[in-house]
């Protein structure tokens, strides 16, 4: 589905982030994303995709810049303060079992990681989490012997379905998905693509970090190309080609590409 005249949900201005080793991960990155839009992010490995995701999610220290939601800068705010502003953010990280899920726990306990803070008493009610886990097993065709089986015993595709399903069920208005189909079979990949398109139709803004240029061109409304931590260009997906994206990924600017 096409996206027209949708309001800007998030605006990133001059975002600059340094890696732990002191090298620059992002250098003056600026873009915006609208509700109901899938913004694809392309680039060779190590071009700043990881830093971009984690900076927006509040997991990395930011040296300079602003992340604006309704003209208010969310940099430095706690997750609770960000929620109070009205932004519900879901993050599907590249490292599924290292950052996204607890490998030794089952689906039910991993569902609770997203919701246990809203409990109104000293005890946590597991029934809603169990109901959600069972619903996701049926809806996403997750292959498991039971919702209490440790997720480390599942295949990569099923682990990814658990993670993405949990993040989507939290009702986000911004979804960040980093390489959500890496290592998955074709059927699991298309299930993930369908889920992302469903979120788009619900007016969720989706930042989709991908490797397959064909998929980025088909799935995205716009594509932002990163090269050495800088934005090489932001193009309309239906008005560009794999060759143009490849040139920008190699360091050519959007102006240079359009002039060739």
């Amino acid at each position: 589905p096409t996206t027209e005249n949708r309001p800007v949900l998030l605006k990133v201005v001059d975002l600059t982030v340094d890696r732990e080793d002191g090298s620059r991960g992002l250098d003056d990155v600026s873009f915006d994303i609208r509700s109901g839009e899938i913004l694809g992010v392309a680039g060779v490995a190590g071009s700043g995709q990881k830093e971009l995701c984690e900076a927006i999610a509040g997991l990395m220290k930011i040296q300079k810049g602003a992340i604006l939601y309704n003209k208010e800068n969310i940099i430095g705010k706690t997750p609770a303060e960000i929620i109070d502003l009205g932004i519900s953010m879901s993050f599907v990280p590249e490292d599924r079992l290292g950052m996204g899920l607890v490998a030794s726990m089952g689906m039910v306990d991993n569902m609770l990681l997203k919701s246990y803070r809203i409990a109104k008493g000293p005890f946590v009610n597991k029934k809603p989490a169990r109901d959600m886990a069972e619903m996701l097993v049926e809806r996403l065709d997750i292959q498991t012997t039971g919702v209490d089986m440790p997720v480390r015993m599942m295949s990569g595709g099923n682990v990814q379905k658990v993670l993405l399903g949990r993040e989507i069920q939290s009702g986000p208005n911004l979804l960040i998905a980093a390489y959500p189909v890496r290592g998955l079979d074709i059927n699991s990949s298309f299930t993930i693509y369908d889920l992302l398109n469903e979120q788009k139709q619900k007016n969720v803004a989706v930042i989709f970090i991908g490797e397959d240029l064909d998929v980025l061109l088909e799935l995205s409304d716009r594509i932002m190309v990163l090269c050495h931590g800088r934005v090489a260009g932001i193009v309309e997906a239906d008005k560009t080609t794999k060759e143009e994206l490849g040139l920008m990924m190699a360091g050519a600017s959007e102006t240079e590409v359009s002039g060739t």
Side-chain angles (χ1 to χ4, degrees):
T2 57
T3 304
E4 294 179 1
N5 302 322
R6 300 287 176 87
V8 172
L9 178 80
L10 204 71
K11 186 176 182 67
V12 175
V13 182
D14 297 336
L15 190 64
T16 300
V17 175
D18 287 344
R19 300 186 178 101
E20 291 182 0
D21 62 4
S23 63
R24 183 129 294 179
L26 295 174
D27 191 1
D28 282 338
V29 169
S30 298
F31 66 94
D32 59 42
I33 181 168
R34 299 175 180 275
S35 296
E37 175 186 35
I38 296 180
L39 176 68
V41 180
V44 297
S47 293
Q49 299 95 320
K50 179 177 182 289
E51 290 78 13
L52 178 68
C53 293
E54 295 186 9
I56 296 175
L59 301 176
M60 288 194 78
K61 182 180 179 182
I62 294 170
Q63 272 64 45
K64 189 185 77 169
I67 300 173
L68 304 174
Y69 176 75
N70 283 341
K71 298 183 179 179
E72 183 155 1
N73 193 358
I74 65 173
I75 290 177
K77 294 188 181 298
T78 66
E81 289 171 337
I82 293 174
I83 291 170
D84 289 341
L85 288 174
I87 183 168
S88 172
M89 191 184 303
S90 286
F91 177 32
V92 180
E94 181 180 354
D95 186 357
R96 300 163 191 165
L97 291 177
M99 288 180 66
L101 300 169
V102 179
S104 61
M105 299 195 315
M107 281 185 66
V108 175
D109 289 336
N110 272 294
M111 296 298 121
L112 278 172
L113 291 177
K114 196 80 176 177
S115 60
Y116 74 91
R117 293 183 184 88
I118 63 176
K120 295 182 179 180
F123 302 103
V124 175
N125 181 9
K126 281 193 173 185
K127 188 177 186 307
R130 184 170 295 275
D131 291 343
M132 183 192 298
E134 291 172 350
M135 181 273 293
L136 290 176
V137 167
E138 184 174 348
R139 184 186 172 203
L140 302 182
D141 191 26
I142 297 171
Q143 302 299 311
T144 176
T145 58
V147 293
D148 293 310
M149 183 182 84
V151 294
R152 69 168 183 270
M153 299 176 68
M154 296 180 182
S155 68
N158 288 304
V159 168
Q160 188 69 333
K161 288 178 185 178
V162 171
L163 177 54
L164 190 58
R166 183 192 70 189
E167 294 302 307
I168 284 173
Q169 286 303 122
S170 68
N173 49 20
L174 173 65
L175 173 63
I176 305 168
Y179 307 108
V181 299
R182 177 180 281 174
L184 304 192
D185 61 73
I186 191 68
N187 288 330
S188 296
S189 296
F190 273 86
T191 299
I192 302 300
Y193 301 149
D194 288 341
L195 286 172
L196 295 178
N197 265 325
E198 279 180 24
Q199 294 307 294
K200 174 181 174 174
Q201 290 171 320
K202 293 177 181 178
N203 286 333
V204 176
V206 180
I207 298 176
F208 172 67
I209 318 293
E211 295 170 304
D212 190 320
L213 295 184
D214 288 311
V215 171
L216 280 166
L217 288 167
E218 288 291 328
L219 198 65
S220 308
D221 295 288
R222 292 182 298 149
I223 299 173
M224 176 171 69
V225 181
L226 292 176
C227 180
H228 302 304
R230 298 183 69 90
V231 176
I234 300 176
V235 295
E236 300 288 335
D238 59 353
K239 296 177 182 175
T240 191
T241 64
K242 284 196 296 183
E243 289 75 21
E244 290 174 347
L245 291 176
L247 284 170
M248 285 189 283
M249 288 167 63
S253 69
E254 185 180 347
T255 304
E256 291 171 330
V257 169
S258 60
T260 58

